[in-house]
Amino acid sequence: MTESNKLPSGRTRIESLEMRGITKRFPGVLANDRVDFDVRAGEVHALLGENGAGKSTLMKILYGLYRPDEGEILVNGKAVHIASPTDAIRLGIGMIHQHFMLVPTMTVAENVALGLPSSRGALTDLDHVSKRIIELADIYGLKIDPSAYVWQLSVGQQQRVEIIKALYRGAALLILDEPTAVLTPQEVDELFAIMRQMVKDGHALIFISHKLHEVVEISHRVTVLRDGRKIGTRPTSETTKQDLANWMVGREVGFAPERGETIPGMVRLQLENVHCGSDRGTPGLRGVSLEVRSGEILGIAGVSGNGQRELAETITGLRKITSGHIRLEGQEVANFPPAELTERMLSYIPEERMRDGMIKDFTVAENLILREHHKRPFSQNGFLNLRSIANHADQLIKTYRVKTPSRDTLAKNLSGGNIQKMVLARELSRKPRVIVAAQPTRGLDIGATEYVRAQLLQQRKQGAAILLISEDLDEILALSDRIAVIYEGRIMDILPRDEATPEKLGLLMAGVHPEEGAPVVK
Amino acid sequence: MISDLFSVTVLIGILASGIRLATPYLYAAIGETFSQKSGVLNLGVEGQMLLGAFAAFYVSLNTGSLWLGLLTAMLVGALMGLAMAYVTVNLQAQQGISGIGFYLFGLGMSDLLFQRLMGTVETVRGFPKIYIPFLSDIPGIGEIFFSQNILVYGAYLLVPLAWFVLNKTTLGLKIRAVGENPDAADSLGVNVGRIRYFTIILGGTLSGIAGASLSIALLNVFQQNMTSGQGFIAVALVYFGAWRPAGVLGGALLFSMVNSLQLWMQVKSVPIPSDIAVMLPYVLTILVLVATVSKVRAPSALTKPFEREN
């Protein structure tokens, strides 16, 4: 670190930033309860907590998007007033939002220049901006083409544009709100390299996450929030993942769920040489055969984009197959409409839960009857029976521990974990005989993940046949009885759980047969 | 007869009036481009044009000053825009519905004022033709392009000007950002509401000019519902032109040429029922929109009111 108090961008460092006694109330919720938090130049301070613990609220206060009801903020020991993002930017605080604040139809340079005064008065000065972007990109090791359109960029590159945007505006302190949630593992490594460089140069970084291994890897100190309160702050080196998990959730957390033994019964789901197209016109599935028995979880492992989505969609009737057979309990159901499959007690936990698993502007109660709204007791002669819908909702909210102010709350206002619980409640409470679960814990926090996994195991115990599609190898290994690896639309191999090691699976996922050694010809 | 249509004189006539008739489309559609680029669908263009047309005509008739008439039309259009902006930005109304409301207001109000203040159809001497030195002497070309009135020239100058503002100025950058991702613009300190006020008022002003171009430059009369749907076609032209001024120009010319053709067909008594001929531009609107619209992407925030979360 240099002795000078200037950053490479030319901006003065923020030596220390302190939030004291921050309290924020929303109607019915105490989002932050007298929270203290501080960050210094040259460190990554991780802010850890479950969904709804108050991390984002605290940071939105720091960035001027919310006003605190109580408490104060000090920059370099002096109290400051932050009433808007403009104030925050002026103080040198930048924020990388979880949902990028970019205009896809504009270029990188245009996105950076937006809202800033131009050196050419009323005319844009994109050449000048581009030059400065390249300068900054060089200093911080961010490869970016200022003239590229944002829609052409990968998610990782878009995030870099966000970082450049903040640096361009002179950010000395950067808030990164769940920056890894949308990244591939390789992009996460690149982001961490950038973060390390920034810290070395004297920036202060706040890293919001609920992924423990990332917090342990990148942060110097970690603060844990739970239910709006600060649980504590510690140097990261003095904690373990287990400690942090227990702090976050407030109890002992088991990383490996108890599976219990079941005896697989009849074949409930069978695919035979299934072929289908994909959205890009290339073959999606190219001859998939597999079967799942009652009381069994078959895990589908694979790198994203190898046919997982098509597999889930063909079984659930959302995508037509071009040849092959799909059988439910021995009966051919290929290309049946979803309503018919619903009748045959097939349930689906979709990968895109916000898009395919719910209707955002419907209430929780309405979402809970989406599958069976046309049947008794929810409707009769075409009229909805509101009382039985309400009772049904109340019961499921209780049984599945969906945290919602009421059954009449719009589903979009729930947190991610609670939306998934709502989907589970709808799909699992009907005692399905076959369940297709696609990425059922992606983006969920520890508590919700644990809950979802326990529910799937419960269904297995009750005799459902479960197809678990997941890109999380730990999840596949923790839950599955047998593991199939999908690669380029084909099943490479199906291994019993005890024979499946991460190494073997990893090779198969890359298209290599461990015994044969040679990659499969495409 | 049909063969009469293909003499050189008639062809020049068709082209010259086609160029002229594109004028109201251009003003209205360029104005609409600005408001749609910022995320606001203004369906009230037709109403703004009608009131603009009346204001321009009435003031010109009574003061003898065409310029004062034009200015009044602009002011009336701007006021209509201001009202539309308030309803859209502050009250966050459904833009499709409120726009139809403004159309009906303009339609009814212009007729009421006409009945009350004038009662009979009168005529004014509109803006005279300006012959551009030398260029207007070129045979054919000169008559088609360089012997038009001031509002016609203005309409064509507006096209590159609009392109320049949208693509080369900080204001244009803000307008586009507000129409595509108002949250992003807001997070960078751009005042989304103010930008939309500006574009809607600008759109209203240009619609006012569009109306004036009919009543004091092209037809030189005012009568009830004289725009006969041109404001709505202007809205369609923005889609047709894929939100680009050059595209709008292409669309405006296409429609005005077809319109001009059908007018000449009537003049030359081509044996096609005039009802069918008059229908042509409208049928074309539908066909062209069906063929093109699905392929172009509208500004993402079009018709969506902006509200900062919480």
Side-chain angles (χ1 to χ4, degrees), chain B residues 193-273:
Chain B
R194 195 185 296 166
I195 293 290
R196 289 187 173 170
Y197 258 86
F198 172 78
T199 57
I200 302 169
I201 292 173
L202 177 67
T205 309
L206 290 173
S207 294
I209 301 178
S213 74
L214 285 172
S215 67
I216 61 173
L218 300 178
L219 308 176
N220 304 331
V221 294
F222 181 84
Q223 57 194 39
Q224 187 200 14
N225 194 20
M226 73 182 295
T227 51
S228 61
Q230 293 192 28
F232 287 105
I233 291 185
V235 174
L237 285 177
V238 176
Y239 286 79
F240 172 79
W243 295 270
R244 289 177 300 117
V248 168
L249 172 65
L253 280 174
L254 176 66
F255 287 105
S256 62
M257 287 300 172
V258 173
N259 213 354
S260 167
L261 179 69
Q262 66 92 4
L263 288 172
W264 278 87
M265 275 159 60
Q266 293 186 51
V267 170
K268 292 284 168 189
S269 346
V270 174
I272 294 174

Coordinates of all heavy atoms in Angstrom, one line a residue, chain B residues 193-273:
Chain B
G193 N -38.6 12.0 -14.4 CA -39.9 12.8 -14.6 C -39.6 14.0 -15.4 O -40.4 14.3 -16.4
R194 N -38.5 14.7 -15.2 CA -38.3 15.9 -15.9 C -38.0 15.6 -17.4 O -38.5 16.3 -18.3 CB -37.1 16.6 -15.3 CG -37.0 18.1 -15.7 CD -35.7 18.7 -15.2 NE -35.7 18.8 -13.8 CZ -34.6 19.1 -13.1 NH1 -33.4 19.3 -13.7 NH2 -34.6 19.2 -11.8
I195 N -37.3 14.6 -17.6 CA -37.0 14.2 -19.0 C -38.3 13.9 -19.8 O -38.6 14.3 -20.9 CB -36.1 13.0 -19.1 CG1 -34.7 13.3 -18.6 CG2 -36.0 12.4 -20.5 CD1 -33.9 14.2 -19.4
R196 N -39.2 13.2 -19.1 CA -40.5 12.8 -19.8 C -41.4 14.0 -20.0 O -42.0 14.2 -21.0 CB -41.2 11.7 -19.0 CG -40.4 10.4 -19.1 CD -41.2 9.2 -18.5 NE -40.5 8.0 -18.8 CZ -40.7 6.8 -18.3 NH1 -41.7 6.7 -17.4 NH2 -40.0 5.8 -18.6
Y197 N -41.4 14.9 -19.0 CA -42.1 16.2 -19.2 C -41.6 16.9 -20.5 O -42.4 17.3 -21.3 CB -41.9 17.1 -18.0 CG -43.1 17.2 -17.1 CD1 -43.2 16.3 -16.0 CD2 -44.0 18.2 -17.2 CE1 -44.3 16.3 -15.2 CE2 -45.1 18.2 -16.3 CZ -45.2 17.3 -15.3 OH -46.3 17.3 -14.5
F198 N -40.3 16.9 -20.6 CA -39.7 17.6 -21.7 C -40.1 17.0 -23.0 O -40.6 17.6 -24.0 CB -38.1 17.6 -21.6 CG -37.5 18.1 -22.9 CD1 -37.4 19.5 -23.1 CD2 -37.0 17.2 -23.8 CE1 -36.8 19.9 -24.3 CE2 -36.4 17.7 -25.0 CZ -36.3 19.0 -25.2
T199 N -40.0 15.6 -23.1 CA -40.3 15.0 -24.4 C -41.8 15.1 -24.7 O -42.2 15.2 -25.9 CB -39.9 13.5 -24.4 OG1 -40.5 12.8 -23.3 CG2 -38.4 13.4 -24.3
I200 N -42.6 15.0 -23.7 CA -44.1 15.0 -24.0 C -44.5 16.4 -24.5 O -45.3 16.6 -25.4 CB -44.9 14.6 -22.8 CG1 -44.5 13.2 -22.3 CG2 -46.4 14.6 -23.1 CD1 -45.1 12.8 -21.0
I201 N -43.9 17.4 -23.8 CA -44.2 18.8 -24.2 C -43.7 19.1 -25.6 O -44.4 19.7 -26.5 CB -43.7 19.8 -23.2 CG1 -44.5 19.6 -21.9 CG2 -43.8 21.2 -23.7 CD1 -44.0 20.5 -20.7
L202 N -42.5 18.6 -25.9 CA -41.9 18.8 -27.2 C -42.8 18.1 -28.2 O -43.1 18.6 -29.3 CB -40.5 18.1 -27.3 CG -39.8 18.2 -28.6 CD1 -39.5 19.6 -29.0 CD2 -38.5 17.4 -28.6
G203 N -43.3 16.9 -27.9 CA -44.1 16.1 -28.8 C -45.4 16.9 -29.1 O -45.9 17.0 -30.2
G204 N -46.0 17.5 -28.0 CA -47.2 18.3 -28.2 C -47.0 19.5 -29.1 O -47.8 19.8 -29.9
T205 N -45.8 20.2 -28.8 CA -45.5 21.4 -29.6 C -45.4 21.0 -31.1 O -46.0 21.7 -32.0 CB -44.2 22.0 -29.2 OG1 -44.2 22.1 -27.8 CG2 -43.9 23.3 -29.9
L206 N -44.7 19.9 -31.4 CA -44.6 19.5 -32.8 C -45.9 19.0 -33.4 O -46.2 19.3 -34.6 CB -43.5 18.4 -32.9 CG -42.1 18.8 -32.6 CD1 -41.1 17.6 -32.6 CD2 -41.6 19.8 -33.7
S207 N -46.8 18.4 -32.6 CA -48.1 18.1 -33.1 C -48.9 19.3 -33.4 O -49.7 19.3 -34.4 CB -48.9 17.2 -32.0 OG -48.2 16.0 -31.8
G208 N -48.7 20.3 -32.6 CA -49.4 21.6 -32.8 C -48.9 22.1 -34.2 O -49.8 22.6 -35.0
I209 N -47.6 22.1 -34.5 CA -47.1 22.5 -35.8 C -47.7 21.6 -36.9 O -48.1 22.1 -38.0 CB -45.6 22.5 -35.9 CG1 -45.0 23.4 -34.8 CG2 -45.1 22.9 -37.2 CD1 -43.5 23.4 -34.7
A210 N -47.8 20.3 -36.6 CA -48.4 19.4 -37.6 C -49.8 19.9 -38.0 O -50.2 19.9 -39.2 CB -48.4 18.0 -37.1
G211 N -50.6 20.2 -37.0 CA -51.9 20.7 -37.2 C -51.9 22.0 -38.0 O -52.7 22.1 -39.0
A212 N -51.1 22.9 -37.6 CA -51.0 24.2 -38.3 C -50.6 24.0 -39.7 O -51.1 24.7 -40.6 CB -50.0 25.1 -37.6
S213 N -49.7 23.0 -40.0 CA -49.3 22.8 -41.4 C -50.4 22.4 -42.3 O -50.4 22.7 -43.5 CB -48.2 21.7 -41.4 OG -48.7 20.4 -41.2
L214 N -51.4 21.8 -41.7 CA -52.6 21.4 -42.5 C -53.5 22.7 -42.7 O -53.9 22.9 -43.9 CB -53.5 20.4 -41.8 CG -53.0 18.9 -41.8 CD1 -53.8 18.1 -40.9 CD2 -53.0 18.4 -43.2
S215 N -53.7 23.5 -41.7 CA -54.7 24.5 -41.8 C -54.2 25.8 -42.4 O -55.0 26.6 -42.9 CB -55.4 24.8 -40.4 OG -54.4 25.3 -39.5
I216 N -52.9 26.1 -42.3 CA -52.4 27.3 -42.8 C -51.2 27.2 -43.8 O -50.6 28.1 -44.1 CB -52.0 28.3 -41.7 CG1 -50.9 27.8 -40.8 CG2 -53.2 28.7 -40.9 CD1 -50.3 28.8 -39.8
A217 N -50.9 25.9 -44.2 CA -49.8 25.8 -45.2 C -50.2 24.8 -46.3 O -49.7 25.0 -47.4 CB -48.6 25.3 -44.5
L218 N -51.0 23.8 -46.0 CA -51.3 22.8 -47.1 C -52.8 23.0 -47.6 O -53.0 23.1 -48.8 CB -51.1 21.4 -46.6 CG -49.7 21.0 -46.1 CD1 -49.7 19.6 -45.5 CD2 -48.7 21.2 -47.2
L219 N -53.8 23.0 -46.7 CA -55.2 23.0 -47.1 C -55.7 24.4 -47.0 O -56.7 24.8 -47.7 CB -56.0 22.0 -46.3 CG -55.4 20.6 -46.3 CD1 -56.3 19.7 -45.4 CD2 -55.4 20.0 -47.7
N220 N -55.2 25.1 -46.0 CA -55.6 26.5 -45.8 C -57.1 26.7 -45.5 O -57.7 27.7 -45.8 CB -55.2 27.4 -47.0 CG -53.7 27.3 -47.2 OD1 -53.0 27.1 -46.3 ND2 -53.3 27.4 -48.5
V221 N -57.7 25.7 -44.9 CA -59.0 25.8 -44.3 C -59.0 25.2 -43.0 O -58.1 24.5 -42.6 CB -60.1 25.1 -45.2 CG1 -60.2 25.7 -46.5 CG2 -59.8 23.6 -45.3
F222 N -60.1 25.4 -42.2 CA -60.3 24.5 -41.0 C -61.7 24.0 -41.1 O -62.6 24.7 -41.4 CB -60.1 25.3 -39.7 CG -60.3 24.3 -38.5 CD1 -59.3 23.6 -38.1 CD2 -61.6 24.2 -38.0 CE1 -59.5 22.6 -37.1 CE2 -61.8 23.2 -36.9 CZ -60.7 22.5 -36.5
Q223 N -61.8 22.7 -40.9 CA -63.1 22.1 -40.7 C -63.1 21.0 -39.7 O -62.0 20.5 -39.4 CB -63.7 21.6 -42.1 CG -62.8 20.6 -42.8 CD -63.2 20.4 -44.2 OE1 -63.5 21.4 -44.9 NE2 -63.1 19.2 -44.7
Q224 N -64.2 20.6 -39.3 CA -64.3 19.6 -38.2 C -63.5 18.3 -38.6 O -63.6 17.8 -39.7 CB -65.8 19.2 -38.0 CG -66.0 18.3 -36.8 CD -67.4 17.6 -36.9 OE1 -68.0 17.6 -38.0 NE2 -67.8 17.1 -35.8
N225 N -62.8 17.8 -37.6 CA -62.0 16.6 -37.8 C -61.2 16.5 -39.1 O -61.1 15.5 -39.8 CB -63.0 15.4 -37.8 CG -62.2 14.0 -37.6 OD1 -61.1 14.1 -37.1 ND2 -62.8 12.9 -37.9
M226 N -60.6 17.6 -39.4 CA -59.9 17.7 -40.7 C -58.6 16.9 -40.7 O -58.1 16.6 -41.8 CB -59.5 19.2 -41.0 CG -58.4 19.7 -40.1 SD -58.0 21.4 -40.5 CE -57.4 21.3 -42.2
T227 N -58.1 16.4 -39.6 CA -56.9 15.6 -39.6 C -57.2 14.1 -40.0 O -56.4 13.4 -40.5 CB -56.3 15.5 -38.2 OG1 -57.3 15.2 -37.3 CG2 -55.7 16.8 -37.8
S228 N -58.5 13.8 -39.9 CA -59.0 12.5 -40.3 C -58.0 11.3 -40.1 O -57.7 10.6 -41.0 CB -59.5 12.5 -41.7 OG -58.4 12.8 -42.6
G229 N -57.5 11.2 -38.8 CA -56.7 10.0 -38.5 C -55.2 10.2 -38.8 O -54.4 9.2 -38.5
Q230 N -54.8 11.3 -39.3 CA -53.3 11.4 -39.6 C -52.5 11.4 -38.3 O -51.3 10.9 -38.3 CB -53.1 12.7 -40.3 CG -53.7 12.8 -41.7 CD -53.2 13.9 -42.5 OE1 -52.1 14.4 -42.3 NE2 -54.0 14.4 -43.5
G231 N -53.0 11.8 -37.2 CA -52.3 11.7 -35.9 C -52.1 10.3 -35.5 O -51.0 10.0 -35.0
F232 N -53.1 9.5 -35.7 CA -52.9 8.1 -35.4 C -51.9 7.4 -36.3 O -51.1 6.5 -35.9 CB -54.2 7.3 -35.4 CG -55.1 7.7 -34.2 CD1 -56.2 8.6 -34.3 CD2 -54.8 7.2 -32.9 CE1 -56.9 9.0 -33.3 CE2 -55.5 7.6 -31.8 CZ -56.6 8.5 -32.0
I233 N -52.0 7.8 -37.6 CA -51.0 7.2 -38.5 C -49.6 7.6 -38.1 O -48.7 6.8 -38.2 CB -51.3 7.7 -40.0 CG1 -52.6 7.0 -40.4 CG2 -50.2 7.3 -40.9 CD1 -53.0 7.2 -41.9
A234 N -49.5 8.8 -37.6 CA -48.1 9.3 -37.2 C -47.6 8.4 -36.0 O -46.4 8.1 -36.0 CB -48.2 10.8 -36.7
V235 N -48.5 8.0 -35.1 CA -48.1 7.1 -34.1 C -47.6 5.8 -34.7 O -46.6 5.2 -34.3 CB -49.2 6.9 -33.1 CG1 -48.8 5.8 -32.0 CG2 -49.6 8.2 -32.4
A236 N -48.4 5.3 -35.6 CA -48.0 4.0 -36.3 C -46.7 4.2 -37.0 O -45.9 3.2 -37.0 CB -49.1 3.6 -37.3
L237 N -46.4 5.4 -37.6 CA -45.2 5.6 -38.3 C -44.0 5.4 -37.4 O -42.9 5.0 -37.8 CB -45.2 7.0 -38.9 CG -46.1 7.1 -40.2 CD1 -46.0 8.6 -40.6 CD2 -45.6 6.2 -41.3
V238 N -44.1 5.8 -36.1 CA -43.0 5.7 -35.2 C -42.6 4.2 -35.0 O -41.4 3.9 -35.1 CB -43.4 6.3 -33.8 CG1 -42.2 6.1 -32.8 CG2 -43.7 7.8 -34.0
Y239 N -43.6 3.3 -34.9 CA -43.4 1.9 -34.9 C -42.7 1.4 -36.2 O -41.8 0.7 -36.2 CB -44.7 1.1 -34.6 CG -45.2 1.2 -33.2 CD1 -45.8 2.4 -32.8 CD2 -44.9 0.2 -32.3 CE1 -46.3 2.5 -31.5 CE2 -45.4 0.3 -31.0 CZ -46.1 1.5 -30.6 OH -46.5 1.6 -29.3
F240 N -43.4 1.9 -37.3 CA -42.9 1.5 -38.6 C -41.4 1.9 -38.8 O -40.6 1.2 -39.3 CB -43.8 2.2 -39.7 CG -43.3 2.0 -41.1 CD1 -43.5 0.9 -41.8 CD2 -42.6 3.1 -41.7 CE1 -43.0 0.7 -43.1 CE2 -42.1 2.9 -43.0 CZ -42.3 1.7 -43.7
G241 N -41.1 3.1 -38.3 CA -39.8 3.6 -38.5 C -38.8 3.1 -37.4 O -37.7 3.6 -37.4
A242 N -39.3 2.2 -36.6 CA -38.4 1.6 -35.6 C -37.7 2.6 -34.7 O -36.6 2.5 -34.3 CB -37.3 0.7 -36.2
W243 N -38.5 3.7 -34.4 CA -38.0 4.7 -33.4 C -36.8 5.4 -33.9 O -36.0 6.0 -33.1 CB -37.8 4.1 -32.0 CG -39.1 3.6 -31.5 CD1 -40.0 4.3 -30.7 CD2 -39.7 2.3 -31.7 NE1 -41.1 3.6 -30.4 CE2 -40.9 2.3 -31.0 CE3 -39.3 1.2 -32.4 CZ2 -41.8 1.3 -31.0 CZ3 -40.2 0.1 -32.3 CH2 -41.4 0.1 -31.7
R244 N -36.6 5.4 -35.2 CA -35.5 6.2 -35.8 C -36.0 7.3 -36.7 O -36.9 7.0 -37.5 CB -34.5 5.3 -36.6 CG -33.7 4.3 -35.8 CD -32.9 3.3 -36.6 NE -33.8 2.6 -37.5 CZ -33.8 2.6 -38.8 NH1 -32.9 3.4 -39.4 NH2 -34.6 1.8 -39.5
P245 N -35.5 8.5 -36.6 CA -36.0 9.6 -37.5 C -36.0 9.2 -38.9 O -37.0 9.5 -39.7 CB -35.1 10.8 -37.1 CG -34.7 10.5 -35.7 CD -34.6 9.0 -35.6
A246 N -34.9 8.6 -39.4 CA -34.8 8.3 -40.8 C -35.9 7.3 -41.2 O -36.5 7.3 -42.3 CB -33.5 7.7 -41.1
G247 N -36.2 6.3 -40.3 CA -37.2 5.3 -40.6 C -38.6 6.0 -40.6 O -39.4 5.7 -41.5
V248 N -38.8 7.0 -39.7 CA -40.0 7.7 -39.7 C -40.2 8.5 -41.0 O -41.3 8.5 -41.6 CB -40.1 8.7 -38.5 CG1 -41.2 9.7 -38.7 CG2 -40.2 7.9 -37.2
L249 N -39.1 9.1 -41.5 CA -39.1 9.8 -42.8 C -39.6 8.8 -43.9 O -40.5 9.2 -44.7 CB -37.8 10.4 -43.1 CG -37.6 11.0 -44.5 CD1 -38.5 12.2 -44.6 CD2 -36.1 11.3 -44.7
G250 N -39.0 7.7 -43.9 CA -39.3 6.7 -45.0 C -40.8 6.4 -44.9 O -41.5 6.3 -45.9
G251 N -41.3 6.1 -43.7 CA -42.7 5.8 -43.6 C -43.6 6.9 -44.0 O -44.6 6.7 -44.7
A252 N -43.3 8.1 -43.5 CA -44.1 9.3 -43.9 C -44.2 9.5 -45.4 O -45.3 9.7 -45.9 CB -43.5 10.5 -43.2
L253 N -43.1 9.3 -46.1 CA -43.1 9.4 -47.5 C -43.9 8.4 -48.2 O -44.7 8.7 -49.1 CB -41.6 9.4 -48.0 CG -40.9 10.7 -47.9 CD1 -39.4 10.5 -48.3 CD2 -41.5 11.8 -48.7
L254 N -43.8 7.2 -47.7 CA -44.6 6.1 -48.3 C -46.1 6.4 -48.2 O -46.8 6.3 -49.2 CB -44.3 4.8 -47.5 CG -45.1 3.6 -47.9 CD1 -44.8 3.2 -49.3 CD2 -44.9 2.4 -47.0
F255 N -46.5 6.9 -47.0 CA -47.9 7.1 -46.9 C -48.4 8.3 -47.7 O -49.4 8.4 -48.3 CB -48.3 7.3 -45.4 CG -48.3 6.0 -44.7 CD1 -47.2 5.6 -43.9 CD2 -49.3 5.0 -44.9 CE1 -47.2 4.4 -43.3 CE2 -49.3 3.8 -44.3 CZ -48.2 3.5 -43.5
S256 N -47.5 9.4 -47.6 CA -48.0 10.6 -48.3 C -48.0 10.4 -49.8 O -48.8 10.9 -50.5 CB -47.0 11.8 -48.0 OG -45.7 11.5 -48.4
M257 N -47.0 9.5 -50.3 CA -47.0 9.2 -51.8 C -48.3 8.5 -52.2 O -48.9 8.7 -53.2 CB -45.8 8.4 -52.1 CG -44.5 9.3 -52.1 SD -44.5 10.7 -53.3 CE -43.1 11.5 -52.8
V258 N -48.7 7.5 -51.4 CA -49.9 6.7 -51.7 C -51.1 7.7 -51.6 O -52.0 7.6 -52.5 CB -50.1 5.6 -50.6 CG1 -51.4 4.9 -50.8 CG2 -49.0 4.6 -50.8
N259 N -51.1 8.6 -50.6 CA -52.2 9.5 -50.5 C -52.2 10.4 -51.7 O -53.3 10.6 -52.3 CB -51.9 10.4 -49.2 CG -53.2 10.7 -48.6 OD1 -54.3 10.5 -49.1 ND2 -53.1 11.4 -47.4
S260 N -51.1 10.9 -52.1 CA -51.0 11.8 -53.3 C -51.5 11.0 -54.5 O -52.3 11.6 -55.3 CB -49.5 12.2 -53.4 OG -49.3 12.8 -54.7
L261 N -51.1 9.8 -54.7 CA -51.5 9.0 -55.8 C -53.0 8.9 -55.9 O -53.6 9.1 -56.9 CB -50.9 7.6 -55.7 CG -51.2 6.6 -56.8 CD1 -50.6 7.1 -58.1 CD2 -50.7 5.2 -56.5
Q262 N -53.6 8.6 -54.7 CA -55.1 8.4 -54.7 C -55.8 9.8 -55.0 O -56.8 9.8 -55.7 CB -55.6 7.7 -53.5 CG -55.4 8.5 -52.2 CD -56.7 9.3 -51.8 OE1 -57.7 9.2 -52.5 NE2 -56.6 10.0 -50.7
L263 N -55.2 10.8 -54.6 CA -55.8 12.1 -54.9 C -55.8 12.4 -56.4 O -56.7 12.8 -57.0 CB -55.1 13.3 -54.1 CG -55.3 13.3 -52.6 CD1 -54.4 14.3 -52.0 CD2 -56.8 13.7 -52.3
W264 N -54.6 12.1 -57.0 CA -54.5 12.3 -58.4 C -55.4 11.4 -59.2 O -55.9 11.7 -60.3 CB -53.0 12.2 -58.8 CG -52.3 13.5 -58.6 CD1 -51.7 13.8 -57.4 CD2 -52.1 14.6 -59.5 NE1 -51.1 15.1 -57.5 CE2 -51.4 15.6 -58.8 CE3 -52.5 14.8 -60.8 CZ2 -51.0 16.8 -59.4 CZ3 -52.1 16.0 -61.4 CH2 -51.4 17.0 -60.7
M265 N -55.5 10.2 -58.7 CA -56.4 9.2 -59.3 C -57.8 9.8 -59.4 O -58.5 9.7 -60.4 CB -56.4 7.9 -58.6 CG -55.3 7.0 -59.0 SD -54.9 5.7 -57.8 CE -56.4 4.8 -57.7
Q266 N -58.2 10.5 -58.3 CA -59.6 11.1 -58.3 C -59.6 12.2 -59.3 O -60.6 12.4 -60.0 CB -59.9 11.6 -56.9 CG -60.1 10.4 -55.9 CD -60.6 10.9 -54.6 OE1 -61.6 11.6 -54.5 NE2 -59.9 10.5 -53.5
V267 N -58.6 13.0 -59.2 CA -58.5 14.2 -60.2 C -58.7 13.7 -61.6 O -59.4 14.3 -62.4 CB -57.3 15.0 -60.0 CG1 -57.1 16.0 -61.1 CG2 -57.3 15.7 -58.6
K268 N -57.9 12.7 -61.9 CA -57.9 12.2 -63.3 C -59.0 11.2 -63.6 O -59.0 10.5 -64.6 CB -56.5 11.5 -63.5 CG -55.4 12.5 -63.5 CD -55.3 13.3 -64.8 CE -54.3 14.4 -64.7 NZ -54.4 15.3 -65.8
S269 N -60.0 11.1 -62.7 CA -61.1 10.2 -62.8 C -60.7 8.8 -63.2 O -61.3 8.2 -64.2 CB -62.2 10.7 -63.8 OG -62.0 12.0 -64.1
V270 N -59.7 8.2 -62.6 CA -59.4 6.8 -62.8 C -60.6 6.0 -62.3 O -61.1 6.3 -61.2 CB -58.1 6.4 -62.0 CG1 -57.9 4.9 -62.2 CG2 -57.0 7.2 -62.6
P271 N -61.1 5.0 -63.0 CA -62.3 4.4 -62.7 C -62.2 3.4 -61.5 O -62.3 2.2 -61.6 CB -62.7 3.6 -63.9 CG -61.4 3.4 -64.6 CD -60.5 4.5 -64.3
I272 N -61.8 4.0 -60.3 CA -61.9 3.2 -59.1 C -62.7 4.0 -58.1 O -62.6 5.2 -58.1 CB -60.4 3.1 -58.5 CG1 -59.5 2.3 -59.4 CG2 -60.5 2.5 -57.1 CD1 -58.1 2.2 -59.0
P273 N -63.6 3.4 -57.4 CA -64.5 4.2 -56.5 C -63.7 5.0 -55.6 O -62.7 4.5 -55.0 CB -65.3 3.1 -55.8 CG -65.2 1.9 -56.6 CD -63.9 2.0 -57.4

